[in-house]
Amino acid sequence: MSLQLNSLIMSDKQAGMEVIMAESIIKVENLVKSFGDHEVLKKIDFEISKGEVVCIIGSSGSGKSTLLRCINHLETPTGGKILFHGEEVKNTQSSLSKYRSQVGMVFQSFNLFNNMTVLKNCMFGVQKILHLSKEEAKLRAIKHLREVGMAAYINAKPAQLSGGQKQRVSMAGVMIDDVDILLFDEPLANLDPATGKKAIALIDRIQKEQKKTIVIIEHRLEDVLYKDVDRIVVVGDGTIVADMKPDDLLVGNILEEQGIREPLYVTALKHAGCTITAQDHPQHVETMNFEPYKTQVREWFETTQIPQKQETQEKVLKVDHLHFSYQPEKAILSDISFDVKKGEMISIVGKNGAGKTTLSNLICGFLEPSKGKIELNGNDISPLSVKERGEHIGIVMQNPNQMISKPMIYEEVALGLTVRGVPEEEIRERVHETLKICGLYQFRNWPVSALSFGQKKRVTIASILVMKPEILILDEPTAGQDYRHYTEIMEFLKTINETQGTTIIMITHDMHLMLEYTNRAIVVADGQLLTIDTPAKVLTDETITAPAYLKQTSLYEMAVKCGIEDPSQFVQRFINYERAVR
């Protein structure tokens, strides 16, 4: 799809006025990219105008990331061409050097050197590229660090920074080249909700103040739409499925058809039977006109019941007045107490650096508490070794590649049993049984390298489940997953929870996951326990969301605008309705 934007002025003689068309800064023509026999991009055509903010979205494997990498020439197109200000970007050193001096890319992994200060990270490479003196490079780096709010951290090392701060340093490092175009590859993937919101606000401010052209790839569309986006380009199966203004896209079914999550308030309006129109501007929940939909929304709320679920009171895990610190004067966790009920799915949420992962490491025995104790089925687990705890409590890391050590799937899943000396016949029986539960039995003789990221995630879960743990802890189980794969993983975990009775604890930044799949949330901020409550109540209480760097759900704003007296009840009914229709 091509918008056919050109840099020209046309005279409209009938109207007696001049129409100024936007200046095309990047034009993609018949772009093709293949890896071997697999064609990832299929004759892509579109343009980006100077000063535009464009969001590119699509399910995993759709080709969106490859498209962004081709735009930045990190991947060389197999066919077609890319024009920059009307001039073709060729695969030569001079052409690429000229192009890349104006196009900067901010990766989700932040690309910082741990042995360098923030200032030196920002200055890295710029002196040679721009032929600046050390002093000129330093002044320019400080200027851009000030613009992103990081001037006070110039002497800090990356290890001392939060995820959001690292991202700001990366952005300053790209801006130091005075690029015209900023490309962002999933900028929100590793950030807590409030920090993600600040990141989008920062991108928006820089774009408006410096007239940058912005291209963002992101799964979290609702979070991107916190600020204005000119166009959303939907990529599916290597082609452009849609290239539309947000208001026009949100009123249709393209997102759902492509396996992309809509903003929650848009889904809620559709559940209520509303036909949304672009004229009511659904791009932002804060400014959308809800007046035409109030009656239907209230009727839906009043007729949708909350089912009463019988909850077990039996405790499988108890954390009692837990303290932890690396240095006596600086506590990482202070006086944390909570319990987890047998067979429940519960989430641990809070801002980056709040102590969530430290808490899971204490439960698993990777760290020892300074004070307090942890009980499993009423018994103190401090005498148990990491290996002994692992027979009851399993942990799955965010990145499956950090856990997998064997080349073949069967060997990887069998590893924990093998090192414990379990007889071979029993190993085979338990591995095959677990692979069937995880939907991996047909791949039992495959190499791990042949699997997708989501399938590798299942292998790591299977390697823990085969040990038959009572508790499964997952660190960001859906990070980097599109909505379709997110749903597959979460429905799989829900099935394990219901059929095997496994208690599941999830550390997450994903507020949708917390709402949809857990009945209680443990909220941690600055090493302290803020509350344990239902996700609906947590995400409608600003006294909790603000200090925990969470984000009030857009369902709350919608409920208020539609005149519903108890927004938390509205959120809870939406959750239950979603669970029922799913």
Side-chain angles (χ1 to χ4, degrees):
M1 183 181 294
S2 175
L3 296 185
Q4 300 300 322
L5 300 175
N6 301 294
S7 176
L8 74 158
I9 298 178
M10 300 175 61
S11 294
D12 187 334
K13 293 181 180 178
Q14 287 182 321
M17 60 188 291
E18 287 187 328
V19 180
I20 302 177
M21 302 298 287
E23 177 189 347
S24 174
I25 192 167
I26 290 180
K27 185 175 184 180
V28 176
E29 291 184 349
N30 280 326
L31 191 72
V32 175
K33 177 62 183 177
S34 299
F35 294 98
D37 295 331
H38 181 49
E39 198 172 54
V40 179
L41 298 178
K42 306 168 185 177
K43 294 187 177 180
I44 297 282
D45 289 288
F46 79 105
E47 298 183 36
I48 299 171
S49 298
K50 186 174 177 62
E52 267 195 309
V53 179
V54 178
C55 178
I56 301 177
I57 58 174
S59 61
S60 293
S62 63
K64 64 183 185 303
S65 294
T66 301
L67 175 58
L68 191 70
R69 291 176 68 83
C70 283
I71 290 174
N72 199 30
H73 266 270
L74 293 173
E75 297 281 358
T76 303
T78 311
K81 56 187 177 181
I82 296 172
L83 304 176
F84 182 60
H85 288 297
E87 182 180 330
E88 183 178 356
V89 181
K90 297 184 182 296
N91 196 29
T92 64
Q93 186 173 348
S94 59
S95 181
L96 290 178
S97 179
K98 180 181 176 183
Y99 180 59
R100 286 175 178 158
S101 69
Q102 296 303 313
V103 181
M105 190 157 175
V106 181
F107 298 89
Q108 69 179 75
S109 56
F110 307 132
N111 295 331
L112 299 181
F113 296 97
N114 287 324
N115 62 335
M116 290 186 183
T117 63
V118 163
L119 180 60
K120 288 183 178 177
N121 262 291
C122 195
M123 291 170 59
F124 181 76
V126 76
Q127 285 175 260
K128 271 185 183 176
I129 295 169
L130 299 182
H131 307 292
L132 301 175
S133 68
K134 185 177 180 181
E135 191 58 33
E136 286 174 317
K138 182 178 178 180
L139 289 173
R140 188 178 286 200
I142 291 172
K143 172 183 176 241
H144 290 295
L145 285 167
R146 188 176 294 116
E147 286 172 348
V148 299
M150 289 298 294
Y153 296 86
I154 60 172
N155 295 316
K157 295 285 184 71
Q160 298 170 290
L161 305 179
S162 69
Q165 289 170 329
K166 289 177 184 176
Q167 187 189 67
R168 287 171 178 247
V169 175
S170 294
M171 198 184 303
V174 170
M175 289 168 59
I176 196 172
D177 293 340
D178 282 338
V179 296
D180 289 333
I181 303 166
L182 287 170
L183 310 178
F184 292 89
D185 182 15
E186 295 194 38
L188 308 181
N190 300 304
L191 304 182
D192 59 60
T195 303
K197 194 173 179 180
K198 289 178 181 177
I200 292 299
L202 175 62
I203 293 169
D204 179 71
R205 178 173 64 77
I206 288 170
Q207 189 276 329
K208 285 181 167 57
E209 290 178 358
Q210 302 183 24
K211 311 302 179 189
K212 304 286 188 188
T213 302
I214 306 288
V215 182
I216 301 172
I217 279 187
E218 183 54 66
H219 288 303
R220 287 159 59 175
L221 178 60
E222 181 176 326
D223 293 336
V224 172
L225 293 180
Y226 169 59
K227 293 294 182 180
D228 289 337
V229 169
D230 295 300
R231 289 158 48 210
I232 299 175
V233 177
V234 183
V235 180
D237 192 26
T239 65
I240 292 184
V241 177
D243 186 343
M244 305 168 73
K245 292 180 179 179
D247 286 336
D248 295 323
L249 181 66
L250 293 176
V251 301
N253 297 316
I254 292 172
L255 295 177
E256 183 181 359
E257 291 164 0
Q258 293 298 314
I260 300 164
R261 188 199 295 277
E262 299 172 313
L264 287 183
Y265 58 94
V266 171
T267 303
L269 286 168
K270 291 179 179 179
H271 284 339
C274 301
T275 301
I276 311 168
T277 64
Q279 289 78 7
D280 291 317
H281 303 297
Q283 175 174 333
H284 304 303
V285 67
E286 295 88 356
T287 54
M288 181 181 175
N289 176 26
F290 283 95
E291 198 61 38
Y293 314 107
K294 283 183 177 180
T295 301
Q296 279 178 280
V297 169
R298 283 200 292 260
E299 286 176 357
W300 177 85
F301 171 67
E302 289 162 5
T303 56
T304 302
Q305 299 301 312
I306 299 177
Q308 298 300 313
K309 185 179 177 183
Q310 190 67 35
E311 298 284 353
T312 179
Q313 296 304 310
E314 187 179 353
K315 298 172 186 175
V316 66
L317 188 74
K318 182 179 179 181
V319 173
D320 189 18
H321 298 290
L322 205 66
H323 294 254
F324 178 78
S325 62
Y326 291 105
Q327 300 168 339
E329 68 277 7
K330 188 177 181 182
I332 306 298
L333 293 173
S334 301
D335 198 25
I336 302 287
S337 295
F338 63 87
D339 59 63
V340 177
K341 297 171 185 175
K342 190 175 182 63
E344 80 169 324
M345 289 178 75
I346 191 168
S347 51
I348 302 177
V349 298
K351 67 179 181 179
N352 292 89
K356 304 185 297 296
T357 300
T358 300
L359 182 55
S360 68
N361 287 337
L362 287 164
I363 293 170
C364 293
F366 304 144
L367 297 171
E368 291 295 324
S370 308
K371 284 194 292 183
K373 66 177 180 177
I374 302 168
E375 293 181 358
L376 178 69
N377 296 319
N379 299 312
D380 184 359
I381 63 172
S382 60
L384 300 182
S385 66
V386 171
K387 181 181 174 183
E388 289 169 328
R389 290 192 201 193
E391 294 173 0
H392 303 277
I393 305 168
I395 186 164
V396 178
M397 297 178 186
Q398 179 176 336
N399 185 347
N401 296 320
Q402 292 178 322
M403 293 186 65
I404 294 171
S405 59
K406 293 291 183 178
M408 305 301 290
I409 292 171
Y410 179 92
E411 292 176 350
E412 179 62 33
V413 177
L415 182 61
L417 298 175
T418 302
V419 298
R420 284 168 173 79
V422 176
E424 183 58 40
E425 189 58 38
E426 184 182 343
I427 290 176
R428 185 179 297 107
E429 185 179 326
R430 284 171 65 172
V431 169
H432 285 177
E433 178 190 359
T434 305
L435 288 172
K436 286 174 184 175
I437 292 168
C438 297
L440 294 168
Y441 183 72
Q442 65 269 39
F443 306 124
R444 61 193 179 280
N445 297 318
W446 281 33
V448 174
S449 60
L451 301 182
S452 68
F453 184 90
Q455 289 169 327
K456 286 180 182 178
K457 197 95 169 180
R458 289 191 180 211
V459 170
T460 59
I461 294 170
S463 67
I464 300 299
L465 278 182
V466 76
M467 307 298 297
K468 297 185 177 178
E470 295 175 66
I471 301 170
L472 186 60
I473 302 173
L474 298 109
D475 191 357
E476 296 289 355
T478 58
Q481 299 289 298
D482 62 45
Y483 185 46
R484 186 174 289 149
H485 290 89
Y486 156 96
T487 304
E488 285 177 4
I489 288 175
M490 290 312 303
E491 287 298 310
F492 160 63
L493 291 171
K494 184 180 172 207
T495 300
I496 291 170
N497 170 255
E498 292 175 347
T499 61
Q500 307 296 307
T502 307
T503 302
I504 295 179
I505 302 171
M506 289 176 284
I507 300 169
T508 185
H509 285 141
D510 190 333
M511 298 300 94
H512 296 147
L513 181 157
M514 181 176 93
L515 280 168
E516 291 175 328
Y517 288 96
T518 65
N519 293 319
R520 291 198 302 154
I522 299 166
V523 186
V524 183
D526 299 318
Q528 296 185 323
L529 179 70
L530 289 187
T531 190
I532 305 173
D533 213 328
T534 65
K537 288 183 179 177
V538 167
L539 294 183
T540 54
D541 185 346
E542 195 172 358
T543 64
I544 298 299
T545 57
Y549 277 49
L550 306 179
K551 182 169 72 76
Q552 274 192 325
T553 173
S554 58
L555 297 170
Y556 174 87
E557 184 95 21
M558 173 184 167
V560 171
K561 287 180 177 290
C562 289
I564 292 170
E565 292 182 6
D566 189 345
S568 68
Q569 283 291 304
F570 177 81
V571 175
Q572 190 62 56
R573 292 185 190 195
F574 172 84
I575 295 166
N576 284 286
Y577 186 86
E578 279 275 289
R579 288 174 180 172
V581 299
R582 190 174 57 233

